[in-house]
Amino acid sequence: ACPDCCVCIENSLVNMQQMTFSGVCPHNCSKFRSNPFAKSGSIARVCNDCGCDIQDHRREAVAEKDVLKALESNEKVPSLIRGTQKNGLYQGGWQAAMNAAHLVDSN
């Protein structure tokens, strides 16, 4: 992203808005650090320093590249965009929509 380009800044904001951050991580990390070797699966969403999920961190602690990595890490599990687990708006593809276990847990 180039700092002076309006398109890049706008795209960055959109990417960050695709995920909700609760800030409930008890370790209060100043920076979320994902595993550089994890490209898929739930481990790609976990902080190397504290072991908490990316969405448990504060928004200020998470970089855009980590949000994109987490969103792309597991196509079967949708990402919570707004709200709570039981009453939220989720983003995901058709595999996430067909995930019966998630639908039951979120209902």
Side-chain angles (χ1 to χ4, degrees):
C2 38
D4 299 325
C5 174
C6 293
V7 173
C8 291
I9 292 170
E10 184 177 318
N11 287 342
S12 177
L13 291 173
V14 168
N15 291 334
M16 292 301 287
Q17 291 173 349
Q18 294 184 45
M19 191 173 279
T20 299
F21 303 97
S22 66
V24 298
C25 178
H27 306 285
N28 201 21
C29 295
S30 61
K31 182 171 177 17
F32 174 83
R33 287 187 338 108
S34 71
N35 183 328
F37 302 109
K39 302 295 179 208
S40 63
S42 61
I43 196 71
R45 298 178 57 93
V46 176
C47 180
N48 264 355
D49 294 338
C50 69
C52 290
D53 186 77
I54 188 170
Q55 290 187 272
D56 291 338
H57 287 75
R58 290 175 291 107
R59 185 177 195 269
E60 305 82 48
V62 179
E64 176 190 13
K65 67 177 179 57
D66 295 319
V67 169
L68 294 174
K69 182 178 176 180
L71 290 172
E72 297 167 358
S73 68
N74 188 350
E75 62 274 356
K76 292 183 181 179
V77 178
S79 296
L80 180 64
I81 298 172
R82 289 214 186 274
T84 64
Q85 182 179 359
K86 296 287 184 187
N87 186 19
L89 175 63
Y90 289 89
Q91 174 180 343
W94 71 271
Q95 290 184 354
M98 300 306 292
N99 184 340
H102 174 76
L103 294 172
V104 168
D105 289 343
S106 298
N107 191 2

